[in-house]
């Protein structure tokens, strides 16, 4: 559930990736505390090319300056090599079906 209204699917996907990244970093911290540190960046799959480009950008652009600054922490986590956003084909993204409306019945 997103608390803000997205102006595009890219913005929505980027916000969702930032939310997922928070959970990933929480789990990495828990693993570290029990002695199971993760050396490599955690892979986070994303099927939206625009969201991938935004995550790998060094700063917000003119078109993204209206977005809440806390979602841009995702850019910092990618830069610090904690996360690695990778492209996944929409047909291979099983979670994508859960985001589509079923239509009228």
């Amino acid at each position: 559930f997103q608390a803000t209204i997205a102006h595009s699917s890219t913005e929505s996907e980027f916000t969702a990736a930032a939310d997922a990244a928070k959970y990933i970093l929480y789990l990495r911290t828990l693993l570290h505390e029990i002695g199971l540190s993760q050396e490599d960046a955690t892979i986070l799959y994303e099927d939206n090319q625009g969201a991938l480009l935004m995550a790998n950008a060094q700063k917000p652009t003119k078109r993204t300056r209206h977005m809440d600054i806390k979602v841009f922490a995702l850019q910092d986590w990618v830069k610090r090599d904690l996360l690695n956003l990778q492209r996944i084909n929409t047909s291979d993204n099983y979670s994508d079906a859960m985001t589509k409306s079923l239509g009228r019945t």
Side-chain angles (χ1 to χ4, degrees), residues 23-101:
Y23 289 111
I24 289 169
L25 294 179
Y26 171 73
L27 292 173
R28 284 177 62 108
T29 301
L30 285 178
L31 289 170
H32 176 75
E33 288 179 3
I34 62 171
L36 299 171
S37 296
Q38 188 176 0
E39 299 300 320
D40 296 328
T42 303
I43 296 172
L44 176 60
Y45 291 106
E46 175 58 59
D47 65 353
N48 185 290
Q49 187 65 32
L52 282 169
L53 292 172
M54 285 174 60
N56 291 308
Q58 296 299 314
K59 60 183 179 178
T61 65
K62 290 178 184 178
R63 291 184 172 180
T64 61
R65 286 187 287 184
H66 69 280
M67 293 173 58
D68 195 343
I69 194 66
K70 62 186 166 190
V71 298
F72 286 101
L74 179 60
Q75 291 175 330
D76 180 55
W77 298 329
V78 169
K79 184 178 177 183
R80 291 175 35 210
D81 204 30
L82 296 172
L83 292 170
N84 177 6
L85 267 72
Q86 291 185 8
R87 175 99 167 105
I88 187 170
N89 209 335
T90 300
S91 61
D92 296 328
N93 186 0
Y94 299 113
S95 66
D96 198 50
M98 305 303 280
T99 65
K100 306 299 182 222
S101 117

